[in-house]
Structure formats: C-alpha cells, structure tokens
Amino acid sequence: HFRYEENVYAAYALLKGQMGKWEYSAGLRMEATDLNTLLYNTGETNNRNFANLFPSFKTLYHLTANQTVKLTY
C-alpha cells in the first residue's frame, strides 16, 4: 500500500506596455511543490519540497495596420 500527496502552489507576475509601434510583456511564474510519500509496508517516507521559476517574454512590432512581427520566449 502506498500514499502519495502533492500540493502545488503558484504565483504569476506580468508587466505589459506599449511604446509607439512596439508592444512588450515580461512575466515570471513561480511554482512551489510539497511532495510526501509513504510506503506502508516498510514505513519508508520521502518528503520533497522544491520551487521553480518560469520566465516569459514577448515583444511585438507593428509593421503596418495589418502586419506585425512577434518574438516570444
């Protein structure tokens, strides 16, 4: 018999703006995970806590009213 518990918490921040024909946005997502397992036969536990950061970036340039160029990460 095995027990697995996982909780994931997340937060996201975003900055957006526009200057002339340029638009931009930059974001950062943070995820924190609490992981707990228990193997009932042996009583062995495994508890892990970790966090990760996920950046994002977008810039867009308006060539004309109907055409744009976009770079995204």
Side-chain angles (χ1 to χ4, degrees), residues 1-72:
H1 195 75
F2 184 74
R3 185 179 73 198
Y4 180 94
E5 295 178 0
E6 180 180 48
N7 295 305
V8 178
Y9 309 96
Y12 191 79
L14 180 66
L15 174 66
K16 292 176 68 169
Q18 184 171 358
M19 291 187 297
K21 292 186 173 189
W22 289 93
E23 291 181 38
Y24 60 88
S25 67
L28 185 64
R29 178 178 173 85
M30 189 279 299
E31 290 185 1
T33 302
D34 296 326
L35 176 63
N36 302 299
T37 64
L38 171 63
L39 184 57
Y40 288 106
N41 295 359
T42 64
E44 181 180 351
T45 62
N46 181 17
N47 302 315
R48 295 183 57 208
N49 301 309
F50 54 93
N52 293 300
L53 295 174
F54 303 97
S56 64
F57 176 77
K58 178 183 83 170
T59 185
L60 187 135
Y61 182 76
H62 295 273
L63 296 170
T64 67
N66 297 319
Q67 294 178 324
T68 59
V69 176
K70 179 168 61 170
L71 175 66
T72 304

